Amino acid sequence: AEPVAVAEEEEADGDDEEEEDEGDLAGRFLRLEQEQNKLLRELPPFGDPVSHVYHPLDYAWEPHSDFVRRYCRTPKRVLFLGMNPGPFGMAQTGVPFGEAWHVREWLRVVGGVKKPPMEHPKRPVLGLSCRRAEVS
């Protein structure tokens, strides 16, 4: 696919974020992710031995969206192949390959993270306040 040319957008502030041009690159990317996420939800559930499945784009949408809006402003050639979010990375932050400290302090991503509907007792979702590091 050819990269799409996009004019630089002005910095969004607070409530105006939802009103940004839905034709901008980040907005189109986020809509595509939501469409793909909907398709994933339609898959049949895993069976034993899988007891918990986290969907960080559902419960960590705010920081994920902030990440995309900050860093997906210009065309790039990117290919993600089979992402393993890890219990202390994307599962906490909604940011691909992003453990909480780096997402919060280095990337300056913000946003609330909710609890997933079924949380594993040994893998609680603490969001951007998670203090554990992803070892992978």
Side-chain angles (χ1 to χ4, degrees):
E2 288 295 308
V4 179
V6 177
E8 284 294 318
E9 62 184 271
E10 293 182 16
E11 193 68 33
D13 60 329
D15 297 335
D16 295 338
E17 185 172 330
E18 295 300 321
E19 297 174 16
E20 286 183 29
D21 180 11
E22 293 196 7
D24 72 347
L25 185 61
R28 293 193 321 256
F29 186 82
L30 290 166
R31 273 195 314 284
L32 179 61
E33 284 186 311
Q34 288 174 329
E35 291 169 13
Q36 296 300 311
N37 206 20
K38 181 179 181 281
L39 293 172
L40 284 173
R41 281 190 225 103
E42 294 172 1
L43 291 173
F46 292 102
D48 286 336
V50 176
S51 61
H52 294 75
V53 176
Y54 286 5
H55 297 279
L57 295 190
D58 290 339
Y59 61 82
W61 183 253
E62 285 183 24
H64 177 77
S65 179
D66 184 52
F67 168 74
V68 170
R69 291 208 177 275
R70 285 174 186 268
Y71 299 105
C72 185
R73 294 175 161 268
T74 59
K76 296 165 181 59
R77 290 179 185 242
V78 177
L79 177 63
F80 287 136
L81 295 176
M83 294 189 49
N84 178 1
F88 307 111
M90 186 173 177
Q92 298 291 332
T93 66
V95 174
F97 310 106
E99 66 184 11
W101 187 91
H102 287 98
V103 169
R104 185 182 63 244
E105 303 298 328
W106 191 61
L107 296 174
R108 300 286 185 212
V109 167
V110 297
V113 176
K114 302 171 189 165
K115 291 286 189 177
M118 275 189 57
E119 187 175 54
H120 192 286
K122 292 184 179 179
R123 299 290 185 259
V125 172
L126 305 171
L128 295 175
S129 65
C130 180
R131 298 176 79 66
R132 300 266 317 251
E134 186 60 59
V135 295
S136 57

